[in-house]
């Protein structure tokens, strides 16, 4: 099977991936979710002309000049309006959010009032008509579309939906990713590995990539290098109704790389296997019914780089989220050799120097070295057959954070 270019592989992987159906969730559980339908105001806000300040509701003609003396005929706290009418030379003590009493057309702030005692006040500064009043429908009116389909529900959007009187919202279902690590050599963190064993790390990073775009991650653990062990975890993923199955390792061409055989034996229709990229050449993709299956390389760096490039946009699309890679132009901080037929993603430190971004690649790019990936904040993207480049040459960088 020929090596598939990165852009073509991504296009094939995303083909037909549409947002999952909606589900109704309580407003308190909707943070970070994606709207499956627009939010329409169920009420008008504010629902009446309201005071924007603590002070006194009065007639503008009585307080157009100062000093002006008024009789206080009542009080209007928030949540309990004054039922009477404000007449000539009268005022109502009012608090922020309370309805404007009938007859009043301005609010004198309390800082501009002197208490004379005996329900009498003196206005010390002139106040014009309509001052400090929030008019009916100032924010929105019943029937207004407040939030569009596809909006990620951030704090402001949630508060707006609440103020529009929505106790529940219809949001896109979160994709479920079932993660299966493979390999006799792997043990979970906290174990005491034997002389031929290592600690399994890939699943945690892949789960974090999934969760960064709102997906759910189901870690099914580690399958031994036996077909029946891998098949048992694949069955668990299918039973859990996973939208995506991600396998870690075992998808290359070695005698113990069994994932391809197991998945095709379960009915997976293979789309591609082996990409023209580094790291991440042995990446596999196929469909098992409605489930998308991605076989990631076992090398930790390759696994995480491929998750950023392929798994993340897939899950974003299934979850109804916009997703665009953060690719920026920079200058090389060190010379780089000519590239071969594979698209290269080179770990680098990206800094701003003299108003320009400078990307300095690490000297060693072994795909097992996680510490270097954790230290990197960008990947220099080297196109296939790119010529050698000197320090200072232009380059493209995929930002990681």
């Amino acid at each position: 099977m020929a090596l598939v270019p990165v852009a073509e592989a991504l296009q094939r992987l995303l083909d037909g991936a549409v947002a999952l159906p909606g589900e109704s969730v309580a407003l308190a559980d909707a943070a970070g979710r994606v709207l499956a339908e627009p939010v329409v105001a169920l009420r008008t806000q504010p629902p009446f002309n309201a005071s924007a300040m603590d002070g006194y509701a009065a007639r503008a003609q009585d307080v157009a000049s100062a000093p002006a003396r008024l009789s206080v005929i009542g009080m209007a706290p928030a949540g309990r309006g004054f039922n009477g009418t404000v007449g000539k030379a009268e005022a109502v003590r009012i608090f922020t959010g309370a309805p404007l009493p009938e007859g009043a057309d301005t609010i004198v702030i309390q800082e501009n009032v002197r208490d004379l005692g005996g329900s009498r006040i003196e206005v010390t500064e002139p106040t014009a008509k309509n001052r400090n009043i929030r008019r009916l429908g100032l924010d929105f009116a019943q029937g207004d579309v407040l939030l569009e389909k596809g909006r990620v529900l951030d704090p402001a959007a949630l508060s707006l939906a609440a103020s529009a009187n929505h106790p529940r919202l219809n949001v896109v279902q979160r994709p479920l990713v079932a993660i299966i690590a493979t390999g006799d050599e792997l043990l979970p963190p906290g174990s005491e590995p034997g002389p031929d064993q290592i600690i399994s790390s890939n699943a945690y990073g892949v789960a974090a990539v999934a969760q960064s775009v709102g997906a759910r991650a189901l870690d099914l653990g580690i399958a031994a290098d036996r077909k029946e062990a891998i098949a048992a975890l694949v069955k668990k993923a299918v039973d859990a109704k996973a939208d995506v199955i991600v396998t870690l390792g075992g998808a290359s061409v070695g005698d113990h790389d069994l994932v391809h055989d197991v998945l095709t034996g379960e009915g997976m229709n293979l789309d591609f296997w082996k990409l023209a990229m580094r790291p991440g050449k042995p990446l596999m993709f196929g469909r098992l019914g409605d489930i998308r299956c991605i076989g990631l390389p076992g090398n930790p760096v390759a696994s995480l780089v491929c998750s950023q490039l392929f798994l993340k946009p897939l899950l974003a699309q299934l979850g109804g989220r916009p997703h665009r890679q953060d690719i920026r132009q920079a200058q090389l901080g060190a010379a780089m050799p000519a590239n071969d037929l594979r698209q290269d993603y080179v770990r680098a430190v990206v800094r701003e120097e003299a108003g320009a971004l400078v990307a300095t690649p690490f000297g060693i790019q072994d795909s097992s070295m996680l510490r270097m990936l954790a230290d990197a904040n960008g990947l220099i993207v080297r196109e296939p057959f790119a010529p050698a480049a000197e320090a200072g040459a232009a380059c493209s960088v995929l930002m990681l954070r």
Side-chain angles (χ1 to χ4, degrees), residues 97-336:
L100 184 70
E102 185 177 347
D105 56 10
T106 194
I107 304 294
V108 181
I109 61 174
Q110 62 187 17
E111 292 88 343
N112 293 342
V113 172
R114 187 162 64 91
D115 188 355
L116 301 177
S119 298
R120 298 279 293 169
I121 59 171
E122 182 178 80
V123 177
T124 60
E125 296 288 340
T127 304
K129 187 176 182 178
N130 295 323
R131 292 297 300 274
N132 306 311
I133 295 172
R134 295 175 181 144
R135 289 294 173 184
L136 167 72
L138 174 67
D139 197 356
F140 54 81
Q142 184 175 350
D144 284 352
V145 176
L146 302 180
L147 299 167
E148 297 290 348
K149 176 182 177 180
R151 172 69 181 263
V152 179
L153 289 163
D154 56 24
L158 281 173
S159 293
L160 178 59
S163 69
N165 206 26
H166 285 273
R168 302 183 68 85
L169 294 172
N170 190 25
V171 297
V172 178
Q173 293 178 21
R174 298 170 62 200
L176 176 63
V177 184
I179 302 171
I180 301 170
T182 67
D184 290 337
E185 76 278 17
L186 299 179
L187 290 174
S191 303
E192 288 293 336
D196 302 318
Q197 294 177 304
I198 60 173
I199 299 300
S200 177
S201 61
N202 297 10
Y204 301 94
V206 172
V209 170
Q211 291 161 355
S212 73
V213 287
R216 297 171 292 152
L218 174 62
D219 187 348
L220 292 176
I222 302 168
D225 282 325
R226 298 191 307 276
K227 288 185 178 181
E228 61 272 20
I230 298 170
L233 294 189
V234 170
K235 183 178 186 305
K236 285 187 177 182
V238 173
D239 291 344
K241 301 186 184 305
D243 300 292
V244 179
I245 295 175
V246 173
T247 60
L248 306 174
S252 189
V253 292
D255 291 340
H256 296 284
D257 294 331
L258 308 173
V259 169
H260 168 265
D261 291 345
V262 169
L263 287 173
T264 53
E266 294 292 327
M268 183 189 76
N269 181 23
L270 180 66
D271 191 308
F272 59 79
W273 186 14
K274 302 185 185 65
L275 301 187
M277 67 175 289
R278 181 191 300 107
K281 176 183 174 183
L283 186 141
M284 181 180 65
F285 172 64
R287 291 176 171 86
L288 179 60
D290 293 331
I291 303 173
R292 284 170 163 75
C293 302
I294 300 177
L296 294 177
N299 279 321
V301 174
S303 179
L304 291 179
V305 169
C306 288
S307 293
Q308 289 286 341
L309 293 174
F310 298 100
L311 180 62
K312 190 172 184 178
L314 172 63
L315 294 177
Q317 198 158 304
L318 291 174
R321 294 172 182 269
H323 176 73
R324 185 173 61 184
Q325 292 179 339
D326 184 7
I327 296 182
R328 306 183 195 180
Q329 297 306 302
Q331 299 172 1
L332 286 177
M336 298 193 72

Side-chain angles (χ1 to χ4, degrees), residues 17-43:
V18 297
L20 297 174
E23 62 179 350
S24 176
V25 301
L27 196 64
D29 298 324
R33 302 295 295 272
V34 178
L35 284 173
E37 62 183 26
V39 172
V40 177
L42 301 179
R43 62 188 294 274

Side-chain angles (χ1 to χ4, degrees), residues 336-399:
M336 298 193 72
N339 197 17
D340 60 13
L341 77 166
R342 291 194 278 170
Q343 187 155 307
D344 216 348
Y345 292 86
V346 181
R347 283 157 281 175
V349 174
V350 185
R351 295 188 177 92
E352 185 172 345
E353 298 179 10
L357 291 180
V358 176
T360 303
F362 289 97
I364 303 175
Q365 292 289 324
D366 189 285
S367 60
S368 69
M369 298 173 66
L370 271 174
R371 181 176 178 178
M372 188 188 303
L373 182 62
D375 290 341
N377 62 340
L379 299 171
I380 298 172
V381 183
R382 297 274 286 164
E383 296 296 330
F385 304 110
E390 298 297 324
C395 66
S396 295
V397 180
L398 171 61
M399 299 301 296

